[in-house]
Amino acid sequence: MDYLDYQFVDSEDFVNTYDEVPLWSASFGLLLLKHLELKANQTILDIGSGTGFPLFELAERVGNSCKLFGLDPWKNANLRAQEKIKNYGISNTTLIESSAENLPFEDQSLDLIVSNLGINNFDDPDLVYKECHRVLKTSGKLVITTNLHGHWKELYEIWYQTLHQIGNESYFKMIENEEAHRRNLAGVYQLFTNNGFQITKAVEDSFTMKFLDGSAFLNHHFIQLGWLTGWISLFPKAELQMIFAKFESNLTQYAKQNGGLNLTVPMAYIAGEKL
Ligand SMILES: C[S@@+](CC[C@H](N)C(=O)[O-])C[C@H]1O[C@@H](n2cnc3c(N)ncnc32)[C@H](O)[C@@H]1O
């Protein structure tokens, strides 16, 4: 009962890793932690474990009869995650700096693979599903959370309105393609079933993100990281000022008329069993 000796030791080092989970990841991770069945004595892999969420939360919720691995090719995220292992005193988890396209595990060696906002957005999700199938034991589970087609539908309507005003059909098509790359639930099911899994549980949910106006939205650091760079890359440099001035102004007008820029994020938890 080592926990009886616990004493909180305040330090800059501890505080550095205490306070961060991106809000974006949190909504999906909470969905995963709510619906995941917890079992003792499992070997578990989190694919795309980033800075350690929900990997460490899961590691602590299942405890030391389970052995966990977090896998991500992102070096700096792994360094941060390693700091958390030290500061949280986690002893059942190992980090691996690698891509899930070639999993460093024996065939049939894992009980559970989870991926929060991971696999579905990778360059070659089919290949990663196949690798998951190879390394899972028969009846092992692959559990993912993902955003779905319909993501920020309000915002995409404003994109289409803006690009109609500009009158360039090819720009319209580019945003349409960018929106379309997110799968609907049937598309996600296909990734499972085409790669040797049967769906055992699926839960749909959604949440709303509210912004004051277009300027706040486009200057938000996480929006810039996750979306803005992608949108900027779609258009010619010389047109960017004009396109984004109109887009920002339309977002702000929408926000004024609707009590804020309220953006809906549909999400899903999907579990599959290896056949
Ligand atoms: C949207 S982030 C999610 C991170 C974390 N799971 C969370 O919920 O905050 C996607 C993660 O997948 C990682 N990733 C991208 N391609 C990958 C691959 N081929 N194999 C494993 N991880 C990958 C990225 O480095 C990133 O950390």
Side-chain angles (χ1 to χ4, degrees):
M1 294 202 291
D2 288 349
Y3 55 83
L4 293 179
D5 298 325
Y6 172 79
Q7 275 194 324
F8 173 59
V9 181
D10 192 10
S11 71
E12 193 183 332
D13 206 22
F14 178 82
V15 169
N16 271 343
T17 52
Y18 172 71
D19 65 343
E20 41 136 301
V21 168
L23 268 185
W24 175 252
S25 302
S27 301
F28 293 86
L30 289 173
L31 184 72
L32 186 128
L33 292 163
K34 179 174 173 186
H35 294 286
L36 188 68
E37 192 185 351
L38 304 183
K39 290 185 186 165
N41 304 310
Q42 303 276 290
T43 306
I44 304 170
L45 168 67
D46 180 12
I47 291 186
S49 47
T51 56
F53 178 81
L55 172 64
F56 299 143
E57 191 58 32
L58 181 58
E60 298 206 84
R61 290 193 190 194
V62 292
N64 286 341
S65 78
C66 292
K67 195 173 169 182
L68 293 92
F69 297 91
L71 180 132
D72 202 301
W74 186 8
K75 183 170 186 228
N76 283 329
N78 281 317
L79 289 173
R80 185 70 171 177
Q82 197 59 52
E83 282 293 297
K84 290 182 185 170
I85 288 188
K86 187 182 76 183
N87 290 329
Y88 302 171
I90 291 173
S91 56
N92 60 353
T93 305
T94 306
L95 300 175
I96 303 169
E97 196 175 305
S98 181
S99 165
E101 291 179 5
N102 186 8
L103 288 173
F105 294 96
E106 303 275 311
D107 295 0
Q108 305 248 9
S109 57
L110 304 179
D111 299 289
L112 171 66
I113 298 177
V114 298
S115 190
N116 192 51
L117 288 166
I119 304 182
N120 273 39
N121 295 321
F122 294 174
D123 295 341
D124 190 347
D126 261 309
L127 180 56
V128 177
Y129 274 79
K130 283 190 176 57
E131 272 294 90
C132 291
H133 189 270
R134 178 183 68 75
V135 300
L136 277 170
K137 296 174 186 168
T138 306
S139 301
K141 293 267 170 59
L142 170 62
V143 177
I144 66 145
T145 56
T146 184
N147 52 341
L148 295 169
H149 188 73
H151 162 101
W152 288 353
K153 59 182 185 318
E154 304 85 354
L155 178 114
Y156 281 94
E157 279 311 311
I158 298 165
W159 258 130
Y160 298 133
Q161 175 199 347
T162 305
L163 298 174
H164 266 313
Q165 287 167 350
I166 291 168
N168 185 323
E169 200 54 28
S170 69
Y171 294 170
F172 191 97
K173 281 263 166 267
M174 282 187 235
I175 286 290
E176 212 170 40
N177 289 340
E178 195 268 338
E179 187 189 14
H181 88 267
R182 275 174 214 100
R183 292 177 178 80
N184 58 20
L185 203 55
V188 184
Y189 282 179
Q190 261 184 7
L191 279 172
F192 277 85
T193 52
N194 288 350
N195 292 297
F197 292 92
Q198 72 172 356
I199 307 291
T200 53
K201 184 166 181 166
V203 182
E204 282 187 85
D205 207 336
S206 72
F207 64 97
T208 303
M209 297 177 83
K210 186 195 276 194
F211 299 83
L212 176 67
D213 56 22
S215 169
F217 175 78
L218 290 164
N219 281 293
H220 190 298
H221 78 280
F222 200 72
I223 302 305
Q224 294 184 340
L225 171 74
W227 292 273
L228 185 65
T229 6
W231 291 330
I232 285 176
S233 72
L234 297 177
F235 306 112
K237 215 167 172 192
E239 304 273 278
L240 287 174
Q241 289 283 348
M242 179 273 293
I243 293 171
F244 277 87
K246 277 202 181 0
F247 182 48
E248 183 180 331
S249 153
N250 285 337
L251 289 170
T252 296
Q253 200 183 339
Y254 177 95
K256 278 198 184 123
Q257 288 163 354
N258 293 278
L261 182 56
N262 294 297
L263 305 180
T264 310
V265 185
M267 56 181 177
Y269 165 103
I270 299 147
E273 182 176 285
K274 174 176 170 173
L275 293 170

